[in-house]
DNA sequence: TCTCAACTTGAGGAGGGCCTCAACTTATGC
DNA sequence: GCATAAGTTGAGGCCCTCCTCAAGTTGAGA
């Protein structure tokens, strides 16, 4: 790849990162190109589809989440580990409307590795007796979707209240809060389908 | 108003009702007109703005919600009343993607009357000791936003799982589940603003 | 039956986003 | 320096949605 091409790629990523962050994933591509100071044709040269641009922008996030997961598993208190992990993910969502969108659309826990780590976090918290026994990994989508919605609604007007929403949600996940649930959980494939047909 | 005009109005409302219900509030107006078997010009004659059409379609809902609220207040058990009310609202959301959108955008509890009723439902549940003391009316937006997001994501793929999300959320609202909350609640005006800048 | 205000119609302008491609420019290896 | 492959550019075609308005149609009162 030629030097100027690489440079333009950087400019585009920088512009996309910033526009995604405060307007979400649906910013017009032309605006990204304009912000980067580059023509729309160049954008299409570097990133033939929007998905490729999005992936490039958020590439680092999967490592961040994996790291978050590992740090959580390293904590002594399994419940605190779970809380730290979920809080960490939500903080990423709250810091970036684009990532917030992405989390809703499901690319969040896309890798098999991330999936396995999350499963361990949950099982460990259940074994410790702190997390209620009747929830599954798929139920965590509810907390992601829920907090994402609150983040989106309050992003400009009350940034940070999502922590209150999350706290209430977590209180509902404690074993001591458990009351019988009315419906079976989503199957993994339902959860996957639900994430992929949002856009 | 002439008879044919009234008739067309009915056709338009019927079409809009059905399209809103399963595609949300953003259906193209031209499609609504086409479905109604009427020209786009006629749609604009009857409903100069999209908002007027939406309002006409969902006019009945405010009475429905008020009735729901009154029935809940009439229940002996204040907690059961709260649960019945919230469940009722969520059922409306789950039955109609359009109303789901509307609820998120905040027209749900728009009337001062509805607002007052909801306040009473909550205060009564708190006085009974079942609802945690540290939540406010504004916090209820979290449950609406959260369930709305789950409804939207699972509408086609797992209709009904939202009840599981709701059950978990309600478990977090019980007094017995309460742990200190990290952030003050939204002020009423923040809540209003959050609802009005979503679209 | 006649009249006319009320109503309907749909072509078309405006605006916005997506994407392509032929003509131009430039980095790079020799 | 030169040749050339790699890269850039932006006008323009496409499609979609919104909204308007001049011309045609029709219900209803006299």
């Amino acid at each position: 790849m030629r030097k100027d091409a690489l440079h333009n790629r950087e400019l585009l990523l920088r512009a996309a990162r910033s526009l995604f962050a405060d307007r979400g994933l649906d910013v017009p591509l032309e605006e990204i190109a304009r912000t980067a100071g580059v023509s729309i044709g160049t954008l299409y040269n570097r990133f033939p589809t929007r998905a490729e641009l999005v992936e490039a922008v958020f590439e680092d996030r999967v490592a961040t989440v994996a790291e978050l997961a590992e740090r959580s598993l390293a904590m002594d208190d399994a419940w605190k580990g779970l809380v730290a992990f979920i809080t960490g993910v939500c903080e990423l969502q709250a810091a970036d409307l684009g990532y917030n969108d992405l989390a809703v659309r499901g690319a969040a826990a896309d890798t098999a590795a991330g999936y396995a780590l999350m499963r361990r976090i949950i099982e460990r918290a259940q074994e410790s007796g702190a997390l209620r026994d009747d929830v599954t990994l798929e139920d965590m989508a509810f907390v992601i979707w829920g907090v994402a919605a609150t983040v989106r609604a309050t992003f400009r007007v009350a940034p940070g209240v999502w922590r209150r929403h999350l706290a209430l949600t977590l209180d509902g996940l404690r074993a001591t809060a458990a009351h019988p649930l009315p419906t079976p959980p989503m199957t993994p494939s339902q959860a996957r389908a639900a994430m992929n047909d949002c856009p």
Side-chain angles (χ1 to χ4, degrees), chain A:
Chain A
M1 190 142 102
R2 247 166 63 172
K3 182 172 55 152
D4 54 344
L6 206 88
H7 180 232
N8 284 337
R9 203 187 118 97
E10 277 329 304
L11 292 178
L12 283 165
L13 284 176
R14 210 193 313 281
R17 229 187 301 278
S18 129
L19 287 170
F20 285 159
D22 68 52
R23 308 249 305 276
L25 247 28
D26 293 326
V27 189
L29 294 176
E30 321 245 8
E31 190 172 353
I32 295 176
R34 201 180 330 126
T35 305
V38 133
S39 90
I40 180 66
T42 297
L43 188 155
Y44 277 97
N45 276 350
R46 297 295 124 239
F47 306 99
T49 70
R50 182 180 219 102
E52 288 175 71
L53 175 57
V54 169
E55 207 206 309
V57 165
F58 295 105
E59 211 183 1
D60 56 311
R61 294 303 203 286
V62 338
T64 306
V65 171
E67 204 176 301
L68 217 49
E70 265 150 21
R71 220 168 330 132
S72 304
L73 281 170
M75 294 175 71
D76 285 339
D77 182 328
W79 173 256
K80 282 187 180 156
L82 173 67
V83 170
F85 176 69
I86 295 180
T87 304
V89 172
C90 290
E91 272 164 356
L92 291 176
Q93 289 177 227
D96 190 315
L97 273 193
Y99 188 73
N100 198 49
D101 286 356
L102 203 56
V104 171
R105 280 135 151 117
D110 224 10
T111 67
Y115 196 78
L117 283 172
M118 285 184 53
R119 182 174 292 289
R120 291 224 332 262
I121 292 177
I122 284 166
E123 278 168 5
R124 194 172 76 115
Q126 281 171 332
E127 280 156 19
S128 85
L131 175 61
R132 52 194 292 175
D133 246 334
D134 53 356
V135 300
T136 69
L137 178 53
E138 285 70 35
D139 290 324
M140 296 303 126
F142 300 149
V143 356
I144 300 300
W145 287 332
V147 173
T150 292
V151 164
R152 217 177 219 300
T154 62
F155 194 65
R156 316 242 172 243
V157 87
V161 258
W162 64 267
R163 304 193 106 99
R164 192 171 165 94
H165 182 169
L166 177 57
L168 289 165
T169 301
L170 289 172
D171 280 351
L173 290 178
R174 297 180 136 97
T176 51
H179 288 69
L181 295 171
T183 304
M186 288 183 284
T187 64
S189 80
Q190 280 178 320
R192 225 171 308 117
M195 298 196 141
N196 292 336
D197 78 350
C198 309

